[in-house]
Coordinates of all heavy atoms in Angstrom, one line a residue:
M1215 N 10.8 8.0 1.4 CA 9.4 7.6 1.6 C 9.0 7.4 3.0 O 8.0 6.8 3.3 CB 9.1 6.4 0.7 CG 8.3 6.7 -0.5 SD 7.9 5.2 -1.3 CE 6.1 5.1 -0.9
G1216 N 9.8 7.6 3.9 CA 9.5 7.4 5.3 C 10.2 6.2 5.9 O 11.4 6.0 5.9
N1217 N 9.4 5.3 6.4 CA 9.9 4.1 7.2 C 10.6 3.1 6.2 O 9.9 2.4 5.4 CB 8.7 3.4 7.9 CG 9.1 2.3 8.7 OD1 10.3 1.9 8.8 ND2 8.3 1.7 9.4
Q1218 N 11.9 2.9 6.3 CA 12.6 2.1 5.4 C 12.5 0.6 5.8 O 13.1 -0.2 5.2 CB 14.1 2.6 5.3 CG 14.3 3.8 4.5 CD 13.8 3.7 3.2 OE1 14.1 2.8 2.4 NE2 12.9 4.7 2.8
Y1219 N 11.7 0.3 6.8 CA 11.5 -1.0 7.3 C 10.1 -1.5 7.0 O 9.7 -2.6 7.3 CB 11.8 -1.2 8.8 CG 12.4 -2.6 9.2 CD1 13.6 -2.9 8.9 CD2 11.6 -3.5 9.8 CE1 14.1 -4.2 9.2 CE2 12.0 -4.7 10.1 CZ 13.3 -5.1 9.9 OH 13.7 -6.3 10.1
C1220 N 9.5 -0.7 6.2 CA 8.1 -1.0 5.8 C 8.1 -2.4 5.0 O 8.9 -2.6 4.2 CB 7.5 0.1 4.9 SG 6.0 -0.4 4.0
F1221 N 7.1 -3.2 5.3 CA 7.1 -4.6 4.7 C 6.9 -4.5 3.2 O 7.4 -5.3 2.4 CB 5.9 -5.4 5.3 CG 5.9 -6.8 4.7 CD1 6.8 -7.8 4.9 CD2 4.8 -7.1 3.8 CE1 6.7 -9.1 4.3 CE2 4.7 -8.3 3.2 CZ 5.6 -9.3 3.5
V1222 N 6.1 -3.5 2.7 CA 5.9 -3.4 1.3 C 7.1 -2.7 0.5 O 7.5 -3.3 -0.5 CB 4.5 -2.7 1.0 CG1 4.4 -2.5 -0.5 CG2 3.4 -3.5 1.6
C1223 N 7.5 -1.6 1.0 CA 8.4 -0.8 0.2 C 9.7 -0.6 0.9 O 10.6 0.0 0.3 CB 7.8 0.5 -0.2 SG 7.5 1.7 1.2
G1224 N 10.0 -1.0 2.2 CA 11.2 -0.7 2.8 C 12.4 -1.4 2.3 O 12.4 -2.6 2.2
A1225 N 13.5 -0.6 2.1 CA 14.7 -1.2 1.6 C 15.5 -2.0 2.6 O 16.3 -2.9 2.3 CB 15.5 -0.1 1.0
D1226 N 15.2 -1.7 3.8 CA 16.0 -2.2 5.0 C 15.4 -3.5 5.6 O 15.9 -4.1 6.6 CB 16.2 -1.2 6.1 CG 17.1 -0.1 5.7 OD1 17.8 -0.2 4.7 OD2 16.9 1.0 6.3
N1227 N 14.1 -3.9 5.0 CA 13.5 -5.1 5.6 C 13.9 -6.3 4.8 O 13.5 -6.5 3.6 CB 11.9 -4.9 5.5 CG 11.2 -6.0 6.2 OD1 11.7 -7.1 6.3 ND2 10.1 -5.6 6.8
P1228 N 14.7 -7.2 5.4 CA 15.2 -8.3 4.6 C 14.2 -9.3 4.1 O 14.3 -10.0 3.1 CB 16.1 -9.0 5.5 CG 15.8 -8.5 6.8 CD 15.1 -7.1 6.7
R1229 N 12.9 -9.3 4.8 CA 11.9 -10.2 4.4 C 10.8 -9.4 3.6 O 9.7 -10.1 3.4 CB 11.2 -10.8 5.6 CG 12.4 -11.8 6.3 CD 11.8 -12.5 7.5 NE 10.9 -13.5 7.1 CZ 10.2 -14.2 7.9 NH1 10.3 -13.9 9.3 NH2 9.4 -15.1 7.6
G1230 N 11.0 -8.2 3.4 CA 10.0 -7.3 2.8 C 9.8 -7.6 1.3 O 10.6 -8.3 0.7
L1231 N 8.9 -7.0 0.7 CA 8.6 -7.1 -0.7 C 9.4 -6.2 -1.7 O 9.7 -6.5 -2.8 CB 7.1 -6.9 -1.0 CG 6.1 -7.8 -0.4 CD1 4.7 -7.3 -0.7 CD2 6.3 -9.2 -0.7
H1232 N 9.9 -5.1 -1.1 CA 10.8 -4.2 -1.8 C 10.1 -3.5 -3.0 O 10.8 -3.4 -4.0 CB 12.2 -4.8 -2.0 CG 12.9 -5.3 -0.9 ND1 13.7 -6.3 -0.9 CD2 12.8 -4.9 0.4 CE1 14.2 -6.6 0.3 NE2 13.7 -5.8 1.1
V1233 N 8.9 -3.3 -2.9 CA 8.2 -2.7 -4.0 C 8.6 -1.2 -4.1 O 8.6 -0.5 -3.1 CB 6.7 -2.8 -3.8 CG1 5.9 -2.1 -5.0 CG2 6.3 -4.3 -3.8
H1234 N 8.9 -0.7 -5.3 CA 9.3 0.7 -5.6 C 8.1 1.4 -6.3 O 7.7 0.9 -7.3 CB 10.6 0.8 -6.4 CG 10.9 2.1 -6.8 ND1 11.4 3.0 -5.9 CD2 10.8 2.8 -8.0 CE1 11.6 4.2 -6.5 NE2 11.2 4.0 -7.7
F1235 N 7.6 2.4 -5.6 CA 6.5 3.2 -6.1 C 7.0 4.5 -6.8 O 7.9 5.0 -6.2 CB 5.5 3.5 -5.1 CG 4.7 2.4 -4.5 CD1 5.2 1.6 -3.5 CD2 3.5 2.0 -5.1 CE1 4.4 0.6 -3.0 CE2 2.8 0.9 -4.7 CZ 3.2 0.2 -3.6
E1236 N 6.4 4.8 -7.9 CA 6.8 6.1 -8.5 C 5.5 6.9 -8.5 O 4.4 6.5 -9.0 CB 7.2 5.9 -9.9 CG 8.5 5.0 -10.1 CD 8.8 4.7 -11.5 OE1 8.4 5.4 -12.4 OE2 9.5 3.7 -11.7
K1237 N 5.6 8.3 -8.1 CA 4.5 9.1 -8.2 C 4.4 9.6 -9.6 O 5.4 10.1 -10.1 CB 4.7 10.3 -7.2 CG 4.4 9.9 -5.8 CD 4.5 11.2 -4.9 CE 3.1 11.3 -4.3 NZ 3.1 12.4 -3.3
R1238 N 3.2 9.5 -10.1 CA 2.9 10.1 -11.5 C 2.4 11.6 -11.4 O 2.8 12.4 -12.1 CB 1.9 9.3 -12.2 CG 2.4 7.9 -12.5 CD 3.5 7.9 -13.6 NE 4.2 6.8 -13.7 CZ 4.0 5.8 -14.6 NH1 3.0 5.9 -15.5 NH2 4.8 4.7 -14.8
D1239 N 1.5 11.8 -10.4 CA 1.1 13.1 -10.2 C 0.4 13.1 -8.8 O 0.6 12.2 -8.1 CB 0.1 13.6 -11.3 CG -1.1 12.7 -11.5 OD1 -1.6 12.0 -10.5 OD2 -1.4 12.4 -12.6
R1240 N -0.4 14.1 -8.3 CA -0.9 14.2 -7.1 C -1.9 12.9 -6.8 O -2.0 12.5 -5.6 CB -1.7 15.4 -6.9 CG -0.9 16.6 -6.6 CD -1.8 17.8 -6.4 NE -2.7 17.5 -5.2 CZ -2.7 18.2 -4.1 NH1 -2.0 19.3 -4.0 NH2 -3.6 18.0 -3.1
A1241 N -2.5 12.3 -7.8 CA -3.6 11.3 -7.6 C -3.1 9.9 -8.1 O -3.8 9.0 -7.8 CB -4.8 11.8 -8.3
N1242 N -2.0 9.8 -8.7 CA -1.6 8.6 -9.2 C -0.1 8.0 -9.0 O 0.7 8.9 -8.9 CB -1.8 8.6 -10.8 CG -3.1 8.8 -11.2 OD1 -4.0 8.0 -11.0 ND2 -3.4 9.9 -11.8
S1243 N 0.0 6.8 -8.8 CA 1.4 6.3 -8.5 C 1.4 4.9 -9.4 O 0.4 4.5 -9.8 CB 1.6 6.0 -7.0 OG 0.7 5.0 -6.6
F1244 N 2.6 4.4 -9.6 CA 2.9 3.2 -10.3 C 3.9 2.3 -9.7 O 4.8 2.8 -9.1 CB 3.4 3.7 -11.8 CG 3.8 2.6 -12.6 CD1 2.8 1.9 -13.4 CD2 5.0 2.2 -12.7 CE1 3.1 0.8 -14.1 CE2 5.5 1.1 -13.6 CZ 4.5 0.4 -14.3
A1245 N 3.7 1.0 -9.8 CA 4.7 0.1 -9.3 C 4.6 -1.2 -10.1 O 3.6 -1.6 -10.6 CB 4.4 -0.3 -7.8
T1246 N 5.8 -1.8 -10.2 CA 5.8 -3.1 -10.9 C 6.4 -4.1 -9.8 O 7.3 -3.9 -9.0 CB 6.9 -3.1 -12.0 OG1 6.4 -2.1 -13.0 CG2 6.9 -4.5 -12.7
F1247 N 5.6 -5.3 -9.7 CA 6.0 -6.2 -8.7 C 5.8 -7.6 -9.3 O 4.8 -7.9 -9.9 CB 5.0 -6.1 -7.4 CG 5.2 -7.1 -6.4 CD1 6.3 -7.1 -5.6 CD2 4.2 -8.0 -6.2 CE1 6.5 -8.1 -4.6 CE2 4.4 -9.0 -5.2 CZ 5.5 -9.0 -4.4
Y1248 N 6.8 -8.4 -9.1 CA 6.8 -9.7 -9.6 C 6.7 -10.8 -8.4 O 7.5 -10.6 -7.5 CB 8.1 -10.0 -10.4 CG 8.2 -9.2 -11.6 CD1 9.0 -7.9 -11.6 CD2 7.6 -9.4 -12.8 CE1 9.1 -7.1 -12.7 CE2 7.7 -8.7 -13.9 CZ 8.4 -7.5 -13.8 OH 8.5 -6.6 -14.9
V1249 N 5.8 -11.7 -8.6 CA 5.4 -12.6 -7.5 C 6.4 -13.8 -7.6 O 6.5 -14.5 -8.6 CB 4.0 -13.0 -7.6 CG1 3.7 -14.1 -6.5 CG2 3.1 -11.8 -7.5
D1250 N 7.0 -14.1 -6.5 CA 7.8 -15.4 -6.4 C 6.9 -16.5 -6.2 O 5.8 -16.5 -5.7 CB 8.8 -15.3 -5.3 CG 9.9 -14.3 -5.5 OD1 10.2 -14.0 -6.6 OD2 10.3 -13.7 -4.5
K1251 N 7.3 -17.7 -6.5 CA 6.5 -18.9 -6.3 C 6.1 -19.1 -4.8 O 5.0 -19.7 -4.6 CB 7.2 -20.2 -6.9 CG 8.4 -20.6 -6.1 CD 9.1 -21.8 -6.8 CE 10.3 -22.2 -6.0 NZ 10.9 -23.4 -6.6
E1252 N 6.9 -18.7 -3.9 CA 6.5 -18.8 -2.5 C 5.4 -17.9 -2.1 O 4.9 -18.0 -0.9 CB 7.8 -18.4 -1.6 CG 9.0 -19.4 -1.7 CD 9.8 -19.1 -2.9 OE1 9.6 -18.1 -3.6 OE2 10.8 -19.8 -3.2
M1253 N 5.0 -17.0 -2.9 CA 3.9 -16.0 -2.6 C 2.6 -16.5 -3.3 O 1.6 -15.6 -3.4 CB 4.4 -14.7 -3.1 CG 5.5 -14.1 -2.4 SD 6.0 -12.6 -3.1 CE 7.5 -12.2 -2.1
A1254 N 2.5 -17.7 -3.8 CA 1.3 -18.2 -4.4 C 0.2 -18.6 -3.3 O 0.5 -19.1 -2.3 CB 1.6 -19.3 -5.3
G1255 N -1.0 -18.4 -3.7 CA -2.1 -18.9 -2.9 C -2.4 -20.4 -3.4 O -2.4 -21.3 -2.7
W1256 N -2.7 -20.4 -4.7 CA -2.8 -21.7 -5.4 C -1.7 -21.7 -6.5 O -1.1 -20.7 -6.8 CB -4.2 -21.7 -6.2 CG -5.4 -21.8 -5.1 CD1 -6.1 -20.8 -4.6 CD2 -5.9 -23.0 -4.6 NE1 -7.0 -21.3 -3.7 CE2 -7.0 -22.7 -3.7 CE3 -5.7 -24.4 -4.8 CZ2 -7.7 -23.6 -3.0 CZ3 -6.3 -25.3 -4.0 CH2 -7.4 -24.9 -3.2
P1257 N -1.5 -22.8 -7.1 CA -0.4 -22.9 -8.2 C -0.6 -21.8 -9.2 O -1.7 -21.7 -9.7 CB -0.5 -24.3 -8.6 CG -1.1 -25.1 -7.6 CD -2.0 -24.2 -6.8
S1258 N 0.4 -21.1 -9.4 CA 0.3 -19.9 -10.4 C -0.7 -18.9 -10.1 O -1.0 -18.1 -11.1 CB 0.2 -20.5 -11.8 OG 1.1 -21.5 -12.1
V1259 N -1.1 -18.7 -8.9 CA -2.1 -17.6 -8.6 C -1.6 -16.9 -7.4 O -1.3 -17.4 -6.3 CB -3.5 -18.2 -8.3 CG1 -4.4 -17.1 -7.8 CG2 -4.0 -18.9 -9.4
Q1260 N -1.4 -15.6 -7.5 CA -0.9 -14.7 -6.5 C -1.8 -14.8 -5.3 O -3.1 -14.8 -5.5 CB -0.8 -13.3 -7.0 CG -0.4 -12.3 -5.9 CD -0.5 -10.8 -6.4 OE1 -0.9 -10.6 -7.5 NE2 -0.2 -9.9 -5.5
H1261 N -1.2 -14.9 -4.1 CA -2.0 -14.8 -2.9 C -2.8 -13.4 -2.7 O -2.2 -12.4 -2.9 CB -1.1 -15.1 -1.6 CG -1.9 -15.3 -0.5 ND1 -2.5 -14.3 0.3 CD2 -2.3 -16.5 0.2 CE1 -3.1 -14.8 1.3 NE2 -3.0 -16.2 1.3
G1262 N -4.0 -13.5 -2.5 CA -4.9 -12.3 -2.5 C -4.4 -11.2 -1.4 O -4.6 -10.1 -1.5
G1263 N -3.8 -11.8 -0.2 CA -3.4 -10.9 0.8 C -2.2 -10.0 0.3 O -2.1 -8.8 0.7
L1264 N -1.4 -10.4 -0.6 CA -0.4 -9.6 -1.2 C -1.0 -8.5 -2.0 O -0.4 -7.4 -1.9 CB 0.6 -10.5 -2.1 CG 1.4 -11.4 -1.3 CD1 2.3 -12.3 -2.3 CD2 2.5 -10.7 -0.4
R1265 N -2.0 -8.8 -2.8 CA -2.6 -7.8 -3.6 C -3.2 -6.6 -2.7 O -3.1 -5.5 -3.0 CB -3.7 -8.4 -4.4 CG -4.3 -7.3 -5.3 CD -5.2 -8.1 -6.3 NE -4.5 -8.9 -7.2 CZ -5.0 -9.8 -7.9 NH1 -6.3 -10.1 -7.9 NH2 -4.3 -10.6 -8.7
V1266 N -3.8 -7.0 -1.6 CA -4.3 -6.0 -0.7 C -3.1 -5.2 -0.2 O -3.3 -3.9 -0.1 CB -5.1 -6.7 0.5 CG1 -5.4 -5.7 1.5 CG2 -6.4 -7.3 -0.1
L1267 N -2.0 -5.8 0.3 CA -0.9 -5.0 0.8 C -0.4 -4.0 -0.1 O -0.3 -2.8 0.3 CB 0.3 -6.0 1.3 CG 0.1 -6.8 2.5 CD1 1.2 -7.7 2.7 CD2 0.1 -5.8 3.7
Y1268 N 0.0 -4.3 -1.3 CA 0.6 -3.3 -2.2 C -0.5 -2.4 -2.9 O -0.1 -1.4 -3.4 CB 1.6 -3.9 -3.1 CG 1.1 -4.8 -4.2 CD1 0.4 -4.4 -5.3 CD2 1.3 -6.2 -4.1 CE1 0.0 -5.3 -6.3 CE2 0.9 -7.1 -4.9 CZ 0.2 -6.6 -6.1 OH -0.2 -7.5 -7.1
S1269 N -1.7 -2.8 -2.8 CA -2.7 -1.8 -3.5 C -3.0 -0.7 -2.4 O -3.5 0.3 -2.9 CB -3.9 -2.6 -3.9 OG -4.7 -3.1 -2.8
M1270 N -2.9 -1.1 -1.2 CA -3.2 0.0 -0.1 C -2.0 1.0 0.0 O -2.2 2.1 0.6 CB -3.5 -0.7 1.2 CG -4.8 -1.4 1.2 SD -5.2 -2.3 2.7 CE -5.1 -0.9 3.8
K1271 N -0.9 0.5 -0.3 CA 0.4 1.4 0.1 C 0.3 2.7 -0.5 O 0.7 3.7 0.2 CB 1.6 0.5 -0.4 CG 2.9 1.3 -0.1 CD 3.1 1.5 1.4 CE 4.4 2.2 1.7 NZ 4.5 2.6 3.0
P1272 N 0.0 3.0 -1.8 CA -0.1 4.3 -2.3 C -0.9 5.3 -1.6 O -0.7 6.5 -1.7 CB -0.5 4.1 -3.9 CG -0.2 2.7 -4.1 CD -0.4 1.9 -2.8
V1273 N -1.9 4.9 -0.9 CA -2.7 5.7 -0.1 C -1.9 6.5 0.9 O -2.1 7.6 1.2 CB -3.8 4.9 0.6 CG1 -4.5 5.8 1.7 CG2 -4.7 4.2 -0.3
H1274 N -0.7 6.0 1.4 CA 0.1 6.6 2.4 C 1.3 7.3 1.8 O 2.1 7.7 2.6 CB 0.6 5.5 3.3 CG -0.5 4.8 4.0 ND1 -1.4 5.3 4.9 CD2 -1.0 3.5 3.8 CE1 -2.2 4.5 5.3 NE2 -2.1 3.4 4.6
M1275 N 1.4 7.4 0.5 CA 2.5 8.1 -0.1 C 2.5 9.7 0.1 O 1.5 10.2 0.1 CB 2.6 7.9 -1.6 CG 3.0 6.5 -1.9 SD 3.2 6.1 -3.6 CE 4.5 7.1 -4.1

């Protein structure tokens, strides 16, 4: 997938999210990501910045 140090999907980034994307077809991709408690904005609520990061990533696939 290109840069293996990418914060969202890079396997070589020790502080990255390590999200794995699967291409479904030319227009669609799929990923499953589980949020750790350290990634919360409010208790039990995912930080909005994370949602923006991994929702933009498929654009570059």
Side-chain angles (χ1 to χ4, degrees):
M1215 253 186 107
N1217 185 357
Q1218 291 302 307
Y1219 211 75
C1220 171
F1221 178 71
V1222 175
C1223 66
D1226 296 337
N1227 189 333
R1229 298 180 71 188
L1231 300 177
H1232 304 150
V1233 177
H1234 175 74
F1235 289 90
E1236 299 174 24
K1237 282 186 120 173
R1238 294 289 167 98
D1239 53 44
R1240 283 184 57 121
N1242 298 295
S1243 62
F1244 175 81
T1246 302
F1247 176 69
Y1248 297 96
V1249 179
D1250 293 331
K1251 66 181 180 179
E1252 294 84 2
M1253 298 176 183
W1256 291 92
S1258 301
V1259 177
Q1260 175 187 0
H1261 191 280
L1264 290 173
R1265 182 172 294 160
V1266 170
L1267 281 174
Y1268 64 77
S1269 66
M1270 291 177 60
K1271 183 62 181 177
V1273 171
H1274 303 290
M1275 288 182 69

